[in-house]
Amino acid sequence: MMDSTTRSTSRTSIRGTARTSRRGRAGAAAVLAVLTVTAAAGCKAQATGSAPAAPSAPPRATTTDDDKPASRPPTPAASSPEATASPTPKPDPQGTTLMASGSESKRVRELQARLRQIGHFDRSPTGYYGSVTVAAVQSFQGKRGLSRTGRTDTLTWQKLLGMTHEPTAAELNPPTTRPAAKPDKRCMTGRVLCISKNSRTLSWMIDGRVVSSMDVRFGSQYTPTREGTFSVYWKSRHHVSTIYHTAMPYAMFFSGGQAVHYSADFAARGYNGASHGCVNVRDEGKIASLFAQVKNGDKVVVYG
């Protein structure tokens, strides 16, 4: 039979055990609730490196989804090298272009010399295919029933070769830029400096034969070079103008202060300038040779 102390202890123990049991059941229920919530949250979680969950509906296609999406037109042609390439040109019925504007060569010089032989090129060959050569080729092509392209193609070249002869050295490299004019009748006898204003050339002639020719420049409209028949009355190798204080090398005076002489300005500026009435020569080597041959008293003919 238990005493009162024993019974009290026993009741306390039972109550503690019951409370512990109830706390255990409450804790288990709480843990279960937490696990349930965590599991529900884990439906949308995605770990690093894992595949994404499949969407509920497929997204609308965009240009970044595929190179050629079915819902979009193909990539614009401008972005495709094949689309931007020029179509293959049709072959020229007159053949391959051999020479054209801007070309510069010995062959161009030959072209010009041959065109000059048959009257399509009115000046001395330069070897440069400029606007004058283009016009000359167009003229030749038009006369032969060819397309007037101005370019020297295979067919144009072959026709030109068939109508002309191989140019001589003098035809390829004439002494003047422009062809010398037909000599005035006053130049056909004796020793003459035959000077043409129209062709802007000087021909040194002896008994009707041209010994040498060279380009010349004349005075401006305010200081014109006098025309007529004169004679050399004074030669001055290192002359300097007393009026303009400019050098006049190889001067050969024929009318007052007017002379034939070398001009460095003419050599540098060409026909963009003019003299004060003298006959300027721009090729120093040629006038040096002429100066050595001409004598005082030799005739000078200046004509238009």
Side-chain angles (χ1 to χ4, degrees):
M1 186 171 156
M2 293 184 294
D3 56 21
S4 59
T5 301
T6 301
R7 284 195 298 270
S8 177
T9 301
S10 188
R11 283 195 297 269
T12 301
S13 176
I14 291 171
R15 285 195 298 269
T17 300
R19 283 195 299 270
T20 300
S21 177
R22 285 194 298 272
R23 288 195 193 101
R25 285 195 299 271
V31 170
L32 180 60
V34 169
L35 290 176
T36 301
V37 170
T38 302
C43 291
K44 296 182 180 179
Q46 180 175 320
T48 302
S50 63
S56 58
R60 187 172 55 185
T62 64
T63 54
T64 57
D65 294 333
D66 194 276
D67 290 340
K68 295 180 180 180
S71 60
R72 295 290 181 94
T75 304
S79 65
S80 172
E82 291 79 10
T84 57
S86 300
T88 303
K90 295 181 180 179
D92 191 328
Q94 293 184 186
T96 304
T97 297
L98 305 176
M99 293 167 276
S101 181
S103 299
E104 187 171 10
S105 65
K106 291 181 179 180
R107 199 177 197 185
V108 172
R109 185 178 291 275
E110 180 183 352
L111 166 71
Q112 294 167 335
R114 288 180 180 273
L115 288 170
R116 185 178 176 185
Q117 289 175 11
I118 54 178
H120 289 280
F121 193 73
D122 64 352
R123 60 192 62 190
S124 298
T126 63
Y128 179 75
Y129 207 118
S131 59
V132 175
T133 305
V134 170
V137 171
Q138 287 175 330
S139 174
F140 174 78
Q141 290 171 328
K143 290 285 187 180
R144 303 298 171 272
L146 304 175
S147 297
R148 293 168 54 90
T149 63
R151 301 186 303 272
T152 302
D153 48 62
T154 308
L155 184 55
T156 300
W157 182 242
Q158 291 301 323
K159 283 187 176 292
L160 182 61
L161 292 179
M163 298 180 60
T164 56
H165 63 263
E166 184 175 351
T168 64
E171 288 176 321
L172 290 171
N173 296 280
T176 58
T177 302
R178 299 181 65 86
K182 181 180 179 180
D184 185 271
K185 61 181 180 180
R186 294 170 289 177
C187 302
M188 300 309 293
T189 58
R191 297 162 58 89
V192 189
L193 291 172
C194 192
I195 304 169
S196 168
K197 284 187 172 181
N198 287 334
S199 66
R200 296 186 290 192
T201 58
L202 179 157
S203 293
W204 167 232
M205 302 180 65
I206 299 177
D207 296 331
R209 179 178 62 88
V210 177
V211 178
S212 63
S213 296
M214 57 204 73
D215 296 321
V216 292
R217 185 178 71 171
F218 303 98
S220 68
Q221 61 177 325
Y222 305 106
T223 55
T225 302
R226 289 183 280 274
E227 297 181 19
T229 302
F230 313 91
S231 62
V232 176
Y233 70 88
W234 180 35
K235 294 173 61 181
S236 178
R237 167 65 180 82
H238 301 287
H239 194 78
V240 176
S241 171
T242 57
I243 300 175
Y244 303 105
H245 307 290
T246 55
M248 298 169 56
Y250 305 102
M252 293 171 278
F253 289 88
F254 62 87
S255 178
Q258 295 188 356
V260 175
H261 68 85
Y262 170 71
S263 169
D265 181 73
F266 183 24
R269 299 172 59 204
Y271 292 102
N272 291 324
S275 74
H276 290 96
C278 289
V279 178
N280 291 165
V281 177
R282 62 178 167 188
D283 190 318
E284 188 172 8
K286 286 185 177 182
I287 195 170
S289 176
L290 179 65
F291 185 87
Q293 298 175 60
V294 172
K295 302 175 182 179
N296 285 341
D298 285 344
K299 187 162 52 174
V300 178
V301 176
V302 182
Y303 61 103

